[in-house]
């Protein structure tokens, strides 16, 4: 195991120095992740052959998350993302969604907030360093702005 190298395709390095790969599950990759987080409303066994994620990891974590919306099981999703972010310290973690933009960008912002950034700064950082089209719905933006409250309610 190990972490991602700087400059690898789709690898994002956050201000604290941690790295995560963020991509569309349709994109082919050269290097395997240790764990792939698939943000989808479809159970992994139900993907059609044409929509099956190109997941390249020894482990796949599925988070029930419809496109343009929020995770269906918020507390469970936040716990999974917190665990994945902790693992990114020593493992190659990737976030994948259909386009690799809206849900994946929202999950990246959650990582930044977990890492200590304010929700507003995390959104701005994702727009500047990842994709201006990320965090594309009002629901996703509102969810992030309320994240601290949500995480306190869920885990304390």
């Amino acid at each position: 195991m190990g972490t991602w190298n700087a400059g690898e395709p789709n690898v994002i390095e956050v201000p604290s120095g941690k790295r995560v790969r963020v991509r569309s599950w349709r994109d082919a990759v050269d290097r395997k992740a240790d764990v792939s987080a698939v943000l989808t409303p479809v159970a992994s066994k139900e993907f059609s052959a044409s929509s099956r994620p190109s997941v390249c990891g020894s482990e796949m974590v599925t988070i029930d998350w419809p496109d343009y919306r929020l995770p269906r099981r918020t507390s469970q999703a936040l716990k999974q993302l917190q665990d994945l972010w902790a693992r990114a310290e020593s493992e190659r973690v990737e976030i994948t969604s259909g386009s690799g933009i809206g849900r994946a960008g929202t999950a990246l912002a959650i990582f930044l907030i977990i890492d200590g950034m304010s929700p507003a700064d995390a959104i701005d950082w994702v727009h500047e360093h990842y994709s201006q089209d990320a965090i594309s719905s009002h629901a996703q933006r509102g969810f992030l702005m309320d994240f601290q409250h949500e995480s306190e309610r869920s885990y304390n």
Side-chain angles (χ1 to χ4, degrees):
M1 286 197 235
T3 61
W4 298 110
N5 296 321
E8 285 188 79
N10 302 313
V11 170
I12 305 295
E13 183 172 340
V14 303
S16 70
K18 272 189 177 178
R19 296 182 189 120
V20 63
R21 182 165 67 192
V22 186
R23 67 181 181 91
S24 165
W25 65 53
R26 294 176 184 94
D27 296 342
V29 293
D30 294 332
R31 190 165 182 215
K32 286 187 174 189
D34 295 315
V35 60
S36 298
V38 180
L39 313 178
T40 180
V42 179
S44 59
K45 64 184 178 202
E46 296 175 8
F47 281 104
S48 68
S50 63
S51 67
R52 179 164 300 284
S54 171
V55 176
C56 293
S58 55
E59 181 182 345
M60 183 170 88
V61 174
T62 303
I63 298 177
D64 187 0
W65 195 329
D67 205 8
Y68 298 103
R69 301 197 190 280
L70 303 175
R72 286 195 177 113
R73 294 170 191 88
T74 306
S75 295
Q76 179 184 18
L78 290 175
K79 177 68 174 127
Q80 288 172 302
L81 290 169
Q82 286 180 326
D83 291 345
L84 289 165
W85 191 236
R87 290 176 69 176
E89 188 71 38
S90 60
E91 297 178 71
R92 288 184 305 272
V93 173
E94 74 174 355
I95 304 167
T96 66
S97 64
S99 69
I101 297 174
R103 291 169 288 182
T106 303
L108 177 59
I110 289 170
F111 283 169
L112 290 164
I113 295 166
I114 293 167
D115 218 36
M117 202 175 278
S118 75
D121 288 345
I123 292 168
D124 290 345
W125 194 94
V126 168
H127 285 159
E128 183 177 340
H129 298 279
Y130 179 62
S131 173
Q132 190 63 39
D133 296 325
I135 312 165
S136 55
S137 77
H138 292 293
Q140 290 168 344
R141 188 181 221 19
F143 176 69
L144 291 171
M145 294 305 288
D146 289 340
F147 178 81
Q148 189 65 38
H149 168 72
E150 206 39 55
S151 63
E152 287 171 1
R153 185 174 65 79
S154 299
Y155 302 111
N156 293 331

